Amino acid sequence: MRIHNFSAGPAALPEEVLLQSQAEQMDWQGVGASVMEISHRDKKFVELAAAAEASLRALLSVPTNYQVLFLQGGATTHFAQIPMNIAAPEQTGDYVITGAWGQKAIKEASTLIKTHVAADAKKYVTVPESSSWNLTPDAAFVHVTPNETIHGVEMFDVPKLTAPIVADMSSNLLSRPIDVSQYGIIYAGAQKNIGPSGILVMIIRDDLLARQPRKLPAIFNYAKHAENGSMLNTPPTYGWYIAGLVFDWLTKQGGLAAMEAKNLAKSSLLYRTIDESGFYKNPVDVPYRSRMNVPFVLPDASMDAAFLKGAEAEGLMGLKGHRDVGGMRASIYNAVTLKSVEVLVDYMKHFAKQA
Ligand SMILES: Cc1ncc(COP(=O)(O)O)c(C=O)c1O
């Protein structure tokens, strides 16, 4: 039996994608082998890779002056690799910190370049007004985390800035349409809305690829990856294949505007249930509540174990909140259905009534 999967990541994938990959496991496209058993230089795989990039470009309307890279390492690797590629040691990277992932990003960057906290929400229940950001005049970039997965804080807009905006969209890329041209770099580990862990999508503007502020081994150099079609070395071929299936699935769903409508329906149902319950609480300022990760607490942490036990009995899994925040967290990425959220809210109402 399939569960209702609220895992924060690795997370639920669309059933259609899992079924197609299962059907193609022994013989992908008539080659007589699985896609993960053939060379990444094989003509068929090269076509798959190009098709996945084309679907992603179409979904996000990626402008032609941006390269799309499929890289290894999670977002954590790129917390360090991005500063290496776009800032010299004496240059400053500005960081807007709205949760735990932004904190981790600046820590890694500070080993390589000068870093500056342009804004820090501290309690991580809001996004500081962009007019209050204390920006360095000649910053090499401004880093933001548009969806803080642990705290459930989402930044829906970014301001127009002189420095390029670098955005860790690991947990909200593809959940709604965005204007790629507002960003210098967008990067996202796959394991929430794209595919299995181990592959990362990066959308990077040409002028940032050209910066080359220091000598780097080729494997760390984004420009070299771009020159080689993200096949400088053996890429995570199976993850790339699943990502392509997910992009096709999103296109069939009606694209990102259709996904946004579904994600709004799911998240509003859940927030409404929390707010009207007089029992559960979500601390995040309403305009910044994440549509992807919904943390909530019960009136007393001593009730958590019973809540989770009852949830598991209903097939509702992955609800335990992150250890930094406690309580519960429902991650409701693209592949989580409205039906699953309806089962969750029914359970939440039932639990609150009998508590
Ligand atoms: C917003 C965000 N950034 C970075 C990461 C780290 O990703 P990884 O563990 O793949 O390096 C996560 C993981 O949950 C995340 O949610």
Side-chain angles (χ1 to χ4, degrees):
M1 192 196 84
R2 298 271 300 162
I3 55 167
H4 298 288
N5 189 352
F6 297 97
S7 174
L13 282 167
E15 282 198 7
E16 292 90 329
V17 167
L18 294 173
L19 288 169
Q20 185 174 343
S21 60
Q22 181 186 45
E24 294 178 338
Q25 189 76 289
M26 302 305 285
D27 182 7
W28 175 65
Q29 292 197 356
V31 302
S34 162
V35 64
M36 70 179 128
E37 297 178 294
I38 63 165
S39 168
H40 56 294
R41 310 280 178 208
D42 187 291
K43 187 169 162 282
K44 269 185 171 298
F45 187 83
V46 173
E47 283 167 8
L48 174 160
E53 177 181 335
S55 308
L56 182 67
R57 280 185 175 274
L59 281 166
L60 285 163
S61 307
V62 177
T64 51
N65 61 325
Y66 286 74
Q67 301 299 316
V68 173
L69 306 179
F70 290 84
L71 302 170
Q72 303 193 42
T76 308
T77 306
H78 298 272
F79 289 166
Q81 206 172 329
I82 288 169
M84 272 183 215
N85 276 268
I86 64 168
E90 67 281 6
Q91 285 184 296
T92 302
D94 277 352
Y95 282 73
V96 174
I97 301 179
T98 49
W101 291 111
Q103 278 181 329
K104 289 188 206 287
I106 192 171
K107 193 160 172 236
E108 293 300 283
S110 66
T111 64
L112 295 153
I113 59 166
K114 288 189 182 150
T115 53
H116 168 69
V117 178
D120 188 339
K122 293 261 161 48
K123 267 184 71 196
Y124 305 136
V125 291
T126 195
V127 174
E129 275 292 324
S130 59
S131 57
S132 73
W133 296 359
N134 174 16
L135 299 165
T136 306
D138 56 352
F141 62 89
V142 178
H143 185 278
V144 296
T145 312
N147 189 63
E148 279 287 354
T149 320
I150 294 174
H151 293 88
V153 176
E154 189 160 358
M155 188 186 288
F156 292 98
D157 297 305
V158 284
K160 269 205 158 44
L161 302 175
T162 329
I165 297 181
V166 174
D168 171 7
M169 292 201 188
S170 289
S171 50
N172 69 346
L173 187 65
L174 300 176
S175 65
R176 57 186 160 87
I178 51 164
D179 177 1
V180 171
S181 72
Q182 291 179 298
Y183 302 89
I185 298 180
I186 292 168
Y187 65 112
Q191 65 266 27
K192 285 86 157 77
N193 268 329
I194 298 172
S197 58
I199 188 161
L200 173 135
V201 167
M202 176 173 286
I203 303 169
I204 179 166
R205 214 170 57 205
D206 287 339
D207 58 297
L208 295 173
L209 276 179
R211 277 193 182 175
Q212 308 272 338
R214 55 162 70 70
K215 245 186 142 50
L216 284 176
I219 199 68
F220 297 141
N221 186 327
Y222 294 143
K224 293 279 182 237
H225 283 279
E227 277 165 28
N228 287 278
S230 301
M231 293 200 199
L232 193 59
N233 68 329
T234 315
T237 53
Y238 198 74
W240 204 329
Y241 156 74
I242 296 285
L245 296 185
V246 170
F247 301 153
D248 292 344
W249 176 80
L250 287 169
T251 308
K252 279 195 218 117
Q253 299 297 302
L256 300 190
M259 287 323 295
E260 179 172 38
K262 288 182 194 193
N263 289 325
L264 259 173
K266 289 184 291 180
S267 54
S268 341
L269 173 61
L270 196 41
Y271 285 117
R272 201 165 54 242
T273 304
I274 292 167
D275 292 342
E276 290 174 356
S277 69
F279 185 83
Y280 304 103
K281 282 206 166 53
N282 168 280
V284 179
D285 283 353
V286 173
Y288 307 113
R289 283 175 161 182
S290 168
R291 294 180 196 156
M292 296 283 101
N293 309 96
V294 181
F296 58 94
V297 291
L298 280 63
D300 194 301
S302 65
M303 296 175 174
D304 289 1
F307 180 90
L308 287 167
K309 193 161 173 249
E312 280 180 25
E314 301 290 324
L316 298 157
M317 310 298 276
L319 288 166
K320 192 172 179 354
H322 190 275
R323 60 189 177 278
D324 289 353
V325 175
M328 306 298 145
R329 172 177 48 170
S331 295
I332 46 174
Y333 301 120
N334 285 339
V336 177
T337 60
L338 177 61
K339 175 78 198 151
S340 284
V341 177
E342 286 168 349
V343 175
L344 172 61
V345 301
D346 283 349
Y347 170 71
M348 288 168 69
K349 286 178 185 165
H350 170 77
F351 184 88
K353 214 189 254 167
Q354 55 84 57

